[in-house]
Amino acid sequence: MQIPATQVVFLRRNEATAEGMKAALATAASRAQAGGNVWFVFIGHGAPSAKRSDDDVIEGVLAGWDTQATTESLSSRGLRHSEALEILETSAATPVLIFDACFSGQSNKGKPLVPDTQPVLESKIPSGQRSIVMTASGPNEYAGALPGRSRPAFSYLVLGALYGWGDTNKDGSVTAGEAVGYARDTMQALVKGRTQTPNIYGSAGDLSLVRGAG
């Protein structure tokens, strides 16, 4: 899988505020063309929203760089899933979102992001109308690294799957379902001491993300 550098918007550290992420998503959505995919890969911390939506659902929030360890800051300085989906679904391309973060309110070591609070376990991942959303763990789990390494397990394994590791039927194509399935099966075999179950949301799990996988 080769994506020209001119088609990538990369945010790191203090660039990845809520405003920075929204601007980058809008740029990517406008550049992508029909018949292709527009990607959003987030590697960081997530948490459940402090406020319920209009339909009484608690959704996940992506913590921005300047988010502080308070529930108010997570709500005001984070990016809600529905906000990311709303921006990306203005694109002519199919949105593909990879969240290497957990939304139980825990860190990658299983500790609360906000001290002296209990994590909320029922956060829901909205799938949008056309989007494919892949997440690192279940709503009551936390996302961690590969054993003995500092690399986030989910995004590393999904990337490997897209290079061809996840082509389970050997047809030269890797679907979204194959990528998540490969990450899930591999983590079940490798990860000890925690339960981390990658998930996929959306109606097009058979969408081919890579053709000609090696």
Side-chain angles (χ1 to χ4, degrees), residues 65-122:
W65 167 260
D66 54 350
T67 301
Q68 303 299 310
T70 66
T71 55
E72 293 80 6
S73 183
L74 283 169
S75 178
S76 63
R77 301 304 306 146
L79 177 66
R80 297 195 312 276
H81 289 162
S82 59
E83 293 179 298
L85 287 168
E86 183 178 357
I87 295 171
L88 287 177
E89 291 203 343
T90 64
S91 177
T94 299
V96 179
L97 299 87
I98 298 175
F99 294 146
D100 198 342
C102 64
F103 302 100
S104 62
Q106 301 176 79
S107 71
N108 56 9
K109 295 182 179 179
K111 304 295 184 182
L113 287 178
V114 179
D116 302 321
T117 63
Q118 293 296 319
V120 177
L121 304 181
E122 67 268 31

Side-chain angles (χ1 to χ4, degrees), residues 125-157:
I125 308 293
S127 56
Q129 299 297 316
R130 299 184 294 112
S131 301
I132 299 296
V133 182
M134 295 176 272
T135 64
S137 60
N140 60 343
E141 301 169 350
Y142 67 92
L146 288 169
R149 296 177 179 267
S150 59
R151 294 176 178 177
F154 180 62
S155 52
Y156 177 81
L157 292 173

Side-chain angles (χ1 to χ4, degrees), residues 35-49:
N37 300 324
V38 55
W39 295 75
F40 176 34
V41 180
F42 178 88
I43 302 174
H45 290 299
S49 173

